[in-house]
Amino acid sequence: MNDNLEQMLIQDENLTDRSPFLKLRRWQWWLLVAINMLFLIAGQAAAVLLGRFYYDQGGNSTWKATFVQTAGFPILCIPLIFLHPSQKLETSTSSTYPSIKIVALLYFVLGLLVAGDNMLYSVGLLYLSASTYSLICATQLAFNAVFSYLLNSQKLTALILNSVVILSLSAALIAVNEDSDGPSGVSKGKYLVGFICTLGASALYSLLLSLMQLSFQKVLRKETYNVVLEMQIYTSLVATCVSTAGMFGSGEWKGLQDEMKGFKSGRVSYVLTLVWTAVSWQVCTVGVVGLIFAVSSLFSNVISTLSLAITPLAALLVFHDEMNGVKVIAMLLALCGFCSYIYQNYLDDTKARKSESQSHTDDVIQESHHV
């Protein structure tokens, strides 16, 4: 899942990587921001809804659902092609850049984790309604706070702890809700499996993000736009190969033709559903990365939160998911948790900008004294 990719970017973003954006006119910059916002919100919401549609129409291959989450990675090569040549040269010639063997091993291990995480998400969506699934996915912010504290030395402030507690309560309400709705034919036991898999996937995804951030800091020692995209491309390539091997190893590939024939809305709809699911996930990724470098990681985080809030509402309209009182309370708690988390990010971002501005002012004063 790509709705919190901004957590992979460390706080001291390099302004030189944003220089192409700074040269834009004001209306061009706003247009670029609006396009990336649309990519992020529409991409994530469409991917989740199409995944649920695939299962509702007769699809039952969890390995295929895992496959399409990363199979569209070649789309990410498009923005990579248009990067400024100096950025690519800088990465390839950097004396601090690790050896190819180390980078390959890093991408391979991260790709395995991505494949496992995507499989858990696929199983979760199989047994849960889209709205319930999205609400449980919101707990990844709480897990992210914990893993960032353990692995990335992020402080656990009162606001962050408040966010963790509120999001945990939101997930607990979904778990104990006797009237929780799942897809037709799903037993309480399978519902519980779906809940555990989605919760586990959210935890694993947060761990993955912290490991990626740690990799940028300790291994790659560089975090430009193209380096982030390259990591996404290569880890997605590994994850796609793993899911393909899983599809053949499990024997699911043998039933794919029958699955296509039995798809309720027809064969063409079957193919288009898979294709557009793959495209949607990558569109979301492009939007997230674009907002980070055009505006800031804080702004991208805010829009990602908005996307998580929109998905359950979209599920109500598309699939007519039941929205009982407990789910409404869980959604409101999740939004409160989001606000607490985002406000802490806002405070951190403001403090960092003031510190950077003061440092720049001191440098200017020091240079004037030398003159």
Side-chain angles (χ1 to χ4, degrees):
M1 310 292 291
N2 296 289
D3 53 318
N4 285 309
L5 177 63
E6 62 274 10
Q7 299 298 334
M8 297 189 308
L9 299 173
I10 58 177
Q11 298 300 319
D12 52 338
E13 297 145 329
N14 193 335
L15 291 177
T16 59
D17 297 326
R18 298 186 189 180
S19 56
F21 301 123
L22 295 176
K23 295 177 182 178
L24 295 175
R25 294 182 179 179
R26 188 171 183 82
W27 72 268
Q28 292 174 325
W29 181 85
W30 275 110
L31 179 62
L32 179 66
V33 170
I35 291 173
N36 281 294
M37 287 173 58
L38 179 63
F39 281 176
L40 195 162
I41 295 173
Q44 177 169 302
V48 172
L49 295 178
L50 285 170
R52 183 63 256 166
F53 179 78
Y54 165 75
Y55 288 131
D56 283 348
Q57 295 297 306
N60 54 20
S61 173
T62 52
W63 278 114
K64 178 173 286 187
T66 302
F67 172 83
V68 297
Q69 291 184 51
T70 54
F73 71 88
I75 295 175
L76 298 179
C77 295
I78 297 175
L80 192 62
I81 292 173
F82 292 100
L83 284 174
H84 195 276
S86 62
Q87 291 183 344
K88 299 178 183 178
L89 182 62
E90 183 183 4
T91 299
S92 60
T93 59
S94 175
S95 59
T96 61
Y97 204 70
S99 66
I100 295 179
K101 290 183 179 179
I102 294 177
V103 174
L105 179 61
L106 173 65
Y107 289 166
F108 179 75
V109 172
L110 292 177
L112 291 179
L113 291 177
V114 169
D117 186 54
N118 290 346
M119 169 55 79
L120 289 174
Y121 275 125
S122 297
V123 174
L125 192 55
L126 174 63
Y127 296 133
L128 299 176
S129 64
S131 58
T132 301
Y133 168 87
S134 298
L135 287 173
I136 298 173
C137 285
T139 59
Q140 67 192 32
L141 280 181
F143 287 118
N144 182 74
V146 174
F147 286 123
S148 293
Y149 171 76
L150 296 175
L151 299 177
N152 308 120
S153 302
Q154 178 177 314
K155 295 180 180 179
L156 279 179
T157 64
L159 287 171
I160 293 295
L161 286 174
N162 180 62
S163 175
V164 171
V165 172
I166 291 177
L167 289 169
S168 299
L169 287 175
S170 175
L173 281 176
I174 296 294
V176 301
N177 183 19
E178 292 293 334
D179 298 324
S180 293
D181 61 312
S184 59
V186 173
S187 64
K188 284 293 182 181
K190 290 182 177 179
Y191 175 88
L192 182 60
V193 170
F195 176 87
I196 293 174
C197 285
T198 305
L199 192 65
S202 298
L204 181 57
Y205 183 66
S206 299
L207 173 62
L208 182 64
L209 294 178
S210 292
L211 290 175
M212 286 182 171
Q213 181 174 336
L214 193 64
S215 300
F216 285 124
Q217 294 171 337
K218 304 296 184 181
V219 181
L220 300 176
R221 298 189 183 93
K222 192 170 184 62
E223 197 167 4
T224 57
Y225 191 88
N226 64 299
V227 170
V228 175
L229 280 178
E230 285 173 359
M231 174 174 277
Q232 285 296 299
I233 290 171
Y234 291 125
T235 54
S236 295
L237 173 61
V238 173
T240 303
C241 292
V242 171
S243 56
T244 302
M247 198 167 3
F248 282 92
S250 64
E252 281 191 5
W253 67 276
K254 297 178 182 179
L256 295 183
Q257 189 159 358
D258 292 335
E259 181 180 273
M260 182 185 293
K261 291 179 181 178
F263 205 67
K264 296 178 183 178
S265 53
R267 296 188 181 189
V268 175
S269 176
Y270 176 82
V271 175
L272 290 177
T273 298
L274 296 177
V275 170
W276 283 110
T277 302
V279 170
S280 296
W281 281 121
Q282 302 311 314
V283 167
C284 176
T285 300
V286 171
V288 169
V289 177
L291 284 178
I292 290 169
F293 285 90
V295 189
S296 69
S297 58
L298 172 63
F299 186 78
S300 185
N301 199 12
V302 170
I303 302 304
S304 295
T305 302
L306 177 63
S307 179
L308 284 171
I310 287 176
T311 302
L313 299 177
L316 293 177
L317 297 175
V318 176
F319 299 114
H320 306 291
D321 287 355
E322 180 184 351
M323 183 60 75
N324 55 37
V326 174
K327 288 179 74 172
V328 171
I329 295 174
M331 180 180 292
L332 293 176
L333 283 174
L335 289 175
C336 290
F338 289 146
C339 292
S340 180
Y341 189 91
I342 291 170
Y343 184 61
Q344 181 61 60
N345 282 338
Y346 168 76
L347 294 178
D348 293 341
D349 186 70
T350 302
K351 183 178 179 181
R353 288 179 183 275
K354 286 183 178 179
S355 177
E356 183 180 350
S357 177
Q358 183 62 41
S359 177
H360 178 70
T361 302
D362 292 342
D363 290 341
V364 172
I365 294 175
Q366 187 175 4
E367 288 178 4
S368 64
H369 287 166
H370 286 304
V371 174

